[in-house]
Amino acid sequence: MLSLAYPWLLLLILVPLLLQWKKPAAHTVDAPVFPVGHWLSDLPGVTRQGNGVPRWQTLLLLLAWCLLVLALARPQHVGEQVQMPVSGRDLMLVVDISPSMEEQDMILQGRSINRLQAVKKVLNEFIARREGDRLGLILFGTEPYVQAPLTFDLQTLETLLQESGIGMAGRATAIGDAVGLATKRLRERPQQQRVVVLLTDGANTAGEISPDKATEIAAAASVRLYTIGIGADSMVRRGLLGSRRVNPSRDLDENLLTRMAQQTGGEYFRARSLPELELIYETINQLEPIELDGKTYRPITDLFFWPAGIAVALWLSIFMFRHLASTLTPVRHSTNSKSADHRGEA
């Protein structure tokens, strides 16, 4: 769609007509008739020397003037409406990838899968629903590292999540260091709503910062922690001596995860199965809603240089034509005078 930023400036097109109306009746002038510009003095149809101006030059000058006025009105191309990404949240996903996440106590379509596979499946759906939020991903084991910085590019985030593997960050569990790193990344952002979703299946067994200290730092930085403890309460494990029922989540420190969530204004969730994990992330979606009424804008491209350039080209072409015509005029006069002399002698 084409539009003008200053359409009222188009009234300037009438200036030559007004000046023509105000111009004296004399046909010979010694100075430019129009004060708008030196070259506009030719618009009435006479030059400063009183010679008639060809009609085509007058029309081209009028066209150049109209194009200049159009350029001043600033024509623009307005593109289609674009939805701006709106983020009410800076949300950091913190996922445990220690070897204990390899425990196959999650069931998907009748078959056993390990905990990390279940997390990847549920997190993909969770990430897809957070359109408009800025999400990041931190993986941790013995040490935490940023797998994906805070970004609006959710497809890339999903890809990086799928590329994560068990044991990539070591064999221990540094919950405190992971929360500390997430807080550091969120504290650099200007948004007020900062959220960490921490998922683990164990207790803190490594790291330089204790989970309680990391929680204090997060609370001071207005970071809200949602903690998730994943792992079934019981499962049947087969061995050489037969089957026996065991608790695969015996190392899970629920008291710590509950305390961390409460001190920062979040909640603790327990995921014993894949459906429970799905319900937890759905609950977090409701607790941290996305603002859907985002701002929109239309990309604008200025086009004023086109009419301005054409106007200048027209003026230059007329100027060059007149310059060439003026240089050829003396030659014609001298030729005519020589012919007159010869006729006189005869």
Side-chain angles (χ1 to χ4, degrees):
M1 182 177 66
L2 297 178
S3 67
L4 297 175
Y6 313 111
W8 51 271
L9 287 177
L10 292 179
L11 294 174
L12 293 175
I13 291 177
L14 302 176
V15 169
L17 297 178
L18 294 175
L19 293 176
Q20 171 69 12
W21 178 61
K22 291 288 186 180
K23 191 190 73 170
H27 292 287
T28 304
V29 292
D30 296 326
V33 176
F34 293 109
V36 176
H38 186 73
W39 60 273
L40 278 178
S41 60
D42 295 331
L43 287 179
V46 296
T47 63
R48 288 177 297 167
Q49 290 76 25
N51 299 324
V53 177
R55 182 177 294 275
W56 68 269
Q57 292 187 23
T58 302
L59 293 177
L60 285 183
L61 286 171
L62 283 170
L63 177 60
W65 171 248
C66 292
L67 289 172
L68 283 178
V69 172
L70 179 61
L72 288 174
R74 194 176 174 183
Q76 299 172 331
H77 177 266
V78 182
E80 295 295 329
Q81 194 173 31
V82 177
Q83 184 79 23
M84 292 180 64
V86 177
S87 177
R89 303 289 184 274
D90 277 333
L91 198 152
M92 186 67 76
L93 304 174
V94 183
V95 179
D96 186 352
I97 57 169
S98 61
S100 58
M101 290 290 289
E102 200 167 9
E103 186 71 61
Q104 294 188 349
D105 56 354
M106 299 285 117
I107 304 298
L108 174 63
Q109 298 177 351
R111 64 184 182 88
S112 297
I113 61 174
N114 64 42
R115 295 168 179 174
L116 184 58
Q117 289 173 327
V119 170
K120 289 181 178 180
K121 178 184 181 303
V122 176
L123 268 184
N124 277 339
E125 299 174 1
F126 177 80
I127 292 170
R129 296 178 183 179
R130 303 305 300 191
E131 186 69 37
D133 277 356
R134 187 186 287 107
L135 269 63
L137 176 63
I138 291 178
L139 305 177
F140 73 97
T142 306
E143 294 182 357
Y145 67 92
V146 178
Q147 177 77 341
L150 289 167
T151 179
F152 287 116
D153 189 355
L154 303 186
Q155 291 184 348
T156 299
L157 186 69
E158 291 178 9
T159 300
L160 292 173
L161 173 64
Q162 293 302 317
E163 292 176 354
S164 61
I166 293 173
M168 290 173 56
R171 304 188 63 82
T173 307
I175 296 176
D177 286 0
V179 173
L181 179 58
T183 302
K184 179 181 178 181
R185 290 286 178 162
L186 289 173
R187 190 164 51 188
E188 297 173 354
R189 307 303 308 177
Q191 273 75 8
Q192 298 300 318
Q193 298 293 336
R194 301 164 179 163
V195 179
V196 170
V197 180
L198 169 70
L199 184 142
T200 183
D201 65 347
N204 188 73
T205 58
E208 299 179 359
I209 304 175
S210 68
D212 289 325
K213 181 63 176 177
T215 302
E216 292 178 10
I217 297 173
S222 300
V223 174
R224 187 157 48 252
L225 293 177
Y226 290 98
T227 56
I228 303 173
I230 187 173
D233 284 335
S234 65
M235 64 177 296
V236 175
R237 183 167 293 168
R238 295 178 176 83
L240 295 177
L241 301 178
S243 300
R244 59 191 181 95
R245 186 168 294 276
V246 298
N247 179 13
S249 301
R250 57 185 178 276
D251 295 329
L252 179 63
D253 193 344
E254 293 193 71
N255 292 331
L256 171 64
L257 297 178
T258 302
R259 188 166 64 250
M260 294 174 69
Q262 291 177 347
Q263 290 180 5
T264 57
E267 289 189 33
Y268 166 67
F269 301 95
R270 182 75 171 89
R272 299 173 181 84
S273 63
L274 188 59
E276 284 189 358
L277 185 60
E278 293 173 343
L279 181 60
I280 288 169
Y281 280 105
E282 179 62 32
T283 302
I284 294 175
N285 263 329
Q286 296 175 6
L287 292 173
E288 301 292 340
I290 300 173
E291 299 177 9
L292 298 178
D293 53 342
K295 297 180 180 179
T296 60
Y297 78 101
R298 291 180 180 272
I300 296 176
T301 304
D302 283 317
L303 303 174
F304 66 89
F305 49 86
W306 288 106
I310 296 173
V312 172
L314 289 174
W315 181 81
L316 288 176
S317 62
I318 295 173
F319 175 80
M320 293 299 296
F321 178 83
R322 289 186 177 178
H323 178 71
L324 292 174
S326 63
T327 56
L328 294 175
T329 300
V331 176
R332 294 196 187 101
H333 284 316
S334 64
T335 304
N336 292 336
S337 59
K338 286 181 180 179
S339 299
D341 291 340
H342 286 304
R343 286 195 300 271
E345 291 175 358

